[in-house]
């Protein structure tokens, strides 16, 4: 379903200010703080993205990944065009040519391209686990590029979360196969996209960012088409329905992610990306027959604990 209209009314979202951890203040009348609101949006977006991943993986690689990505992108872009026009906003803001948005779009292409390939050829539990390294990249970028103050406590919490990821992955020579490298490349692309979302001009609304971002999925699909191992074919009815649902769910998750990255401090909100892993592990168990062991469960516990601690510490 398209995002609620109450989310669409403002072209500029509430943006926290990096002032050494003091952006997590309420805004009067018991309103949620920027960091708390950002954390809630992040958890919602991660749940929706986990659903998107499972739907996409259920279709690819039975359907060529490039073709599946193209259909997914067309659906998500169409939804964002409708939502943006209903909000009476131009589809493309003039700021699209600013360096920050060009960089954001470029990293979006990298993330979409390689993550779609990873979903097609790598177990969902492994792909989702590798993706959880993104908050570490985002936190480092926030400290180095956005000059956010990231103290030892936050770095420690992020490191604990990353140890949880390593417990799940348990790196072996097998982890360096080409499919694992695809997931790593996708993770870096998405992390840098999120960082440049924060740095993007506030005049560009979440809807307009969605039009750009979902259009990139179409570009990624077109890039993959010549390299698909199987020839193009007409999708079966069930495949088409799942890909359309992938686009609708993904577009809504993308909107929530944009809101999250603009709500408060990136270094506080980023750890809540870890919630995607727990949902993905559940889907991998139920729908794809993957069985997480005790190491995986222990890693998931560390990941959740680190995210909760980071938010409490920021207050």
């Amino acid at each position: 379903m398209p995002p609620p209209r109450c989310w669409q009314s403002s072209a500029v979202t509430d943006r926290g200010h990096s002032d050494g951890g003091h952006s997590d203040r309420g805004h009067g009348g018991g309103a949620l703080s920027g960091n708390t609101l950002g954390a809630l949006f992040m958890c919602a977006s991660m749940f929706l993205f986990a659903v998107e991943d499972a739907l996409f993986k259920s279709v690819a690689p039975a359907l060529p990944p490039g073709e599946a990505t193209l259909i997914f992108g067309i659906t998500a872009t169409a939804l964002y065009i409708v939502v943006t026009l209903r909000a009476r906003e131009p589809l493309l803001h003039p700021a699209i040519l600013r360096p920050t948005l060009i960089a954001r779009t470029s990293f979006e292409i990298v993330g979409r391209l390689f993550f779609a390939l990873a979903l097609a050829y790598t177990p969902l539990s492994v792909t989702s686990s590798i993706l959880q390294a993104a908050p570490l990249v985002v936190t480092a970028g926030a400290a180095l590029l956005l000059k956010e103050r990231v103290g030892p406590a936050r770095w420690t919490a992020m490191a604990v979360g990353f140890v949880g990821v390593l417990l799940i992955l348990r790196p072996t020579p097998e982890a360096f196969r080409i499919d694992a490298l695809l997931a790593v490349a996708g993770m870096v692309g998405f992390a840098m996209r999120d960082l440049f979302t924060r740095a993007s001009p506030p005049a560009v609304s979440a809807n307009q960012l969605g039009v750009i971002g979902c259009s990139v999925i179409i570009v990624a699909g077109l890039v993959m088409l010549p390299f698909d191992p199987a020839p193009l074919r007409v999708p079966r009815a069930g495949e088409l329905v799942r890909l359309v649902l992938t686009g609708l769910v993904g577009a809504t998750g993308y909107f929530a992610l944009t809101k999250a990255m603009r709500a408060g401090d990136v270094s506080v909100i980023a750890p809540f990306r870890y919630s995607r892993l727990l949902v993905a592990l559940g889907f991998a168990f139920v729908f794809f027959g993957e069985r997480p062991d005790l190491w995986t469960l222990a890693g998931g516990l560390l990941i959740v604990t680190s995210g909760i601690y980071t938010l409490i510490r920021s207050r």
Side-chain angles (χ1 to χ4, degrees), residues 184-251:
V184 170
M187 177 272 294
V188 173
F190 283 148
M192 296 305 295
R193 173 204 65 186
D194 291 351
L195 192 62
F196 279 98
T197 295
R198 170 68 180 197
S200 62
V204 182
S205 72
N207 294 332
Q208 292 166 327
L209 285 176
V211 172
I212 299 171
C214 291
S215 298
V216 163
I217 303 175
I218 298 177
V219 175
L222 292 173
V223 171
M224 283 191 284
L225 280 180
F227 304 98
D228 278 339
L232 298 181
R233 63 174 175 84
V234 177
R236 301 183 184 92
E239 293 172 334
L240 185 59
V241 169
R242 277 176 284 170
L243 285 175
V244 170
L245 285 175
T246 300
L248 297 178
V249 172

Side-chain angles (χ1 to χ4, degrees), residues 39-118:
L40 292 175
F41 271 119
M42 181 62 78
C43 289
S45 69
M46 292 302 105
F47 174 80
L48 292 169
F49 284 149
V51 174
E52 170 200 317
D53 292 346
L55 286 169
F56 187 89
K57 186 170 182 61
S58 71
V59 176
L63 190 70
E67 182 179 355
T69 302
L70 186 61
I71 297 172
F72 164 34
I74 291 173
T75 302
T77 303
L79 175 61
Y80 258 110
I81 288 174
V82 171
V83 170
T84 304
L85 292 178
R86 287 188 62 186
R88 297 182 179 180
E89 298 172 355
L91 294 179
L92 296 178
H93 194 279
I96 188 177
L97 297 179
R98 290 189 182 180
T100 51
L101 276 184
I102 292 176
R104 181 185 184 275
T105 302
S106 300
F107 283 116
E108 179 93 55
I109 293 175
V110 172
R112 290 292 181 182
L113 174 62
F114 288 103
F115 194 67
L117 291 172

